[in-house]
Amino acid sequence: ETEYLVADKTVDCASPEYLAWKFYATIMIGVYPLGIPTMYMVLLWRKRRILMDEDLRVENQSVVPISFLWKMYEPDCWWFEVFECFRRLSLTGLLIFINPGSATQVVVAMILAMVS
């Protein structure tokens, strides 16, 4: 028996096009939440010596393109945006796996918010 997408009954869930998009979506579920913070960390790590120096980080033009990642933090905390990405991910994406709608989910969210 053929299965169809609930939202659109014209989409056959066994079609090659649907399976290709399903594969792509599955890959992107891992790429986006892990890939973006990793890319941020690589960009920041390469410029960390400049970012840790208060004078250099303002004068050096090579860090201007990534200033949105470090500008709001102290020089010693140049890496903090990566931490923030993972914190936001844990508060939004990981909580869906903890008994949705339960008191446990609320308590875990509050603990994560307070600890981070």
Side-chain angles (χ1 to χ4, degrees):
E1 185 174 315
T2 305
E3 293 182 4
Y4 295 97
L5 197 61
V6 173
D8 184 355
K9 301 287 186 193
T10 64
V11 178
D12 178 5
C13 293
S15 71
E17 182 182 9
Y18 174 81
L19 294 174
W21 281 109
K22 184 178 176 181
F23 177 73
Y24 173 76
T26 304
I27 297 296
M28 294 316 285
I29 286 170
V31 168
Y32 186 80
L34 299 175
I36 298 295
T38 302
M39 180 189 66
Y40 286 175
M41 189 63 194
V42 168
L43 291 170
L44 290 166
W45 184 261
R46 288 180 177 173
K47 303 291 185 180
R48 70 187 180 281
R49 286 181 181 80
I50 296 169
L51 296 175
M52 286 191 282
D53 185 313
E54 185 74 46
D55 297 326
L56 276 178
R57 73 191 314 207
V58 175
E59 297 169 4
N60 195 313
Q61 291 297 309
S62 70
V63 294
V64 171
I66 60 168
S67 65
F68 70 98
L69 294 173
W70 56 264
K71 198 169 199 170
M72 53 205 141
Y73 304 113
E74 296 292 324
D76 290 341
C77 297
W78 56 268
W79 50 269
F80 201 74
E81 186 62 31
V82 176
F83 172 79
E84 272 297 298
C85 285
F86 283 116
R87 186 183 73 81
R88 287 189 302 260
L89 181 63
S90 68
L91 286 171
T92 57
L94 294 180
L95 286 176
I96 64 168
F97 298 109
I98 300 174
N99 204 5
S102 69
T104 305
Q105 187 182 39
V106 174
V107 169
V108 170
M110 288 177 13
I111 290 170
L112 280 172
M114 287 187 287
V115 170
S116 63

